[in-house]
Structure formats: structure tokens, C-alpha cells
Amino acid sequence: MGVIALRGVLDHPELELVGLVVHSDAKAGRDAGELCGVDAVGVIASQDPAELLAGDAEVVVYAAAANLRPFEAVADMASLLRAKKNVVSCSVVPLVFPHAVDDAIAGPLREAALAGGSSFFTTGIDTGFANDVLPLVLSGVTRSIESIRVTEMFNYATYPDRQAVYEILGFGKTPETEAFAAMPGVFTFGWGPVVHQLADGLGVEVDDIQESNERLTTDTTFDTPTGRIEAGTVAAMRSTLTGYVNGKPTIVVDHVTRMRDDIAPDWPQPRIAMPPNDLGYGTASGQGCYRIEIDGSPNIRCEFEMAEDGDHDFGARIAGAIRMVNAIPAVVAAKPGLLSALDLPTVTGKGLVRSLPGPPPDSRLFR
């Protein structure tokens, strides 16, 4: 996500890159342009965050992985906010709606933002645009609402973060292995704030959230671009949160994740999928989309699909990372404190109707 956001900053006509902090030795000392597939820009990647804290950046894009290090990531971002740097991030996903996040996580960021007079905003595609902004926009054309369901249906076979796919999600593990993402309460921690955010946007309160997790194994061994899934191991996972309003199931966030399209055929599937291009990326990435269903008057069903070179996973990562970048002007203009999508104006692609001077992103670079 960070490399994609870096390319987005360099491509954006209203932004200037003034510094870059990386975590790996392989990236340190290299030009930022080289890291994301364009000509050198004169900004050299450093492993010293102190340079960024002391520099003149007005806003920092923080995209370091935080699935297994949320408190360390919060400490990083709090130091930036205290140093008067606005922060946009995709790392600690519950912070898309910080008002519903435990104060042990949100508190240090809130205090740092107010002390530094800076603003903080977390976004992405999911959590983020696909399950907060898009459902609320669609709700604006309804006469009445009985329930809202947001479903992610994705094939994770090309997702490049092997730790996330095989260790955190537990794909390729025996069903007896307790994967981190399937542990009780983990999905509620990560995605529960989205349920509260949707409720807040609709002017209601959630009484309770119920969580369910299902995992299915495969009968056959098959290979994916990121690894082998052996017969008898987990090849599909479904996690669902149901938010109750006045005792009635009203807001549902549903994640259906597969390593091959034909696994778990009874679970929700995309109705359509972008066809593969000549390079076969569509075939490699499988099917993927987000579905919004509103029961009410009128009933609404919307499927939202992204792809780059026919690759749904790559398209979703671009969308999530670039939403951070495109939100920067609104975050800088916002009042100090912790923000959600409900606090910002509509984030658009202002200034992006043009032909880019450099080559399009090469998906191989972002793996």
C-alpha cells in the first residue's frame, strides 16, 4: 500500500514529495521514483523517522503494516501528529471511525493531534470507501431503510502479503489451526467500528454486534501465484458482523474470502467479473467485488468492482491507497483531531483528468 501511495503522491498535480521513510534495508538509500517505477525524483529513502519529524512535510502518508503491531503503529503516528504533521493512514483499520475505538488506541492519537494542532484520518477500500462512504451515498436515495448489508467477495490468490494470507488469515492451514483472523473478537475489533460508523451516518445507534466465522477446506491440492494450498487445508473463510438496532438485525458487514473461485459455491459470489486481458491477469486474480444491498424503499443492489490489468486484487489496493492520497487536501483543511469519512467533504479526483507523464503502474513492481 505504501509503494502504491508513493506513486500516487508523485503523480498528483497538487502534491510534492519531500521525504520518505522505509523499513526494509532493500529500500533504504534508493530514490523514491525508482521504488515505484518512475524516473528519479531526488528524494532518497531513509530508515530514520527523525528526519521526517524534523522536516517540513505538512502531511504524512503512514502505510506501514500494523496487523500484528497496532500499538507500535499508533505510537509512530502519535509522534507525527505531535510534531504538527497531519496524518493519513490505512494501517490500523478500526480507526476509520475512531469514535468507536477503545481509548487505549484512539486516546494517544487524539491527545497528540490536539497538542500538535494536526488532523488524523484512516481510510482504505475495506475498511474504507467500500463499506463506509459508498453505502451511505446509496442510502441518500432511499425513502426508508430496513437493513444495509455490505459484502466483500474476493479471491486472495494474488494478494502479495504472504504473512496476511497464510498466517493471519490462515489459508493453507489445517482447520484445527487457530488463525489470528478467525479468533473470536478479532473481526469485531477490526470491522466493528464500520458498523457503528454506518449507524452514525444513518442517525441510529447499534445496541449489539454479533460475530460469526466460518472456514472451509479444499478437497484437492492447487497452486496459486503466492503459494500452494494442500488438500484438507483451509481455502475459504467467511466472517460476518451483524449490528442490531432496537433489537433488530440492521447493519451487516460480510467478508467472503477465497483462494479459488469455485471454493464455497454456496457463499455469495460476484454476479459479474471483468474479463482477463491478454496477459491473463484476470484469470490469475479470480473474481472480486463489493456488494451493497439496502432493503427498504426502494430496494437497492450495487456491485462495485475495481481492476488494474484485469487484476481485482491489484485494483482494490490501488483504490485503497489512492483514496488516502486524494483525501490529503481535505484532511489538511480539516480541524485538528481524529477524523472519519463523516467529517470530510466528498473526496473526488480533482485535478486527475489528464494523461500521466509516466508509465502505468506495473503490478509486478507492487508485489
Side-chain angles (χ1 to χ4, degrees), residues 93-94 96 122-132 190-191 194 255:
V93 294
V96 294
T122 288
T123 185
I125 191 63
D126 183 90
T127 58
F129 177 82
N131 58 11
D132 57 17
W191 275 257
V194 173
H255 270 228

Side-chain angles (χ1 to χ4, degrees), residues 121-166:
F121 179 58
T122 288
T123 185
I125 191 63
D126 183 90
T127 58
F129 177 82
N131 58 11
D132 57 17
V133 175
L134 183 58
L136 291 174
V137 168
L138 294 174
S139 75
V141 298
T142 60
R143 190 170 65 95
S144 65
I145 297 172
E146 294 291 330
S147 66
I148 291 183
R149 175 181 287 268
V150 184
T151 305
E152 180 192 66
M153 297 162 281
F154 252 69
N155 183 319
Y156 270 43
T158 59
Y159 191 72
D161 187 341
R162 288 185 53 84
Q163 182 186 56
V165 173
Y166 296 98

Side-chain angles (χ1 to χ4, degrees), residues 268-291:
Q269 289 269 23
R271 284 190 172 184
I272 58 174
M274 293 184 183
N277 66 1
D278 293 340
L279 298 177
Y281 286 120
T283 302
S285 69
Q287 298 180 14
C289 77
Y290 298 92
R291 177 180 295 154

Side-chain angles (χ1 to χ4, degrees), residues 275-282 285 307-312 314-315 360-363:
N277 66 1
D278 293 340
L279 298 177
Y281 286 120
S285 69
E308 181 80 11
D309 284 335
D311 188 331
H312 301 84
F314 188 31
D362 183 344
S363 63

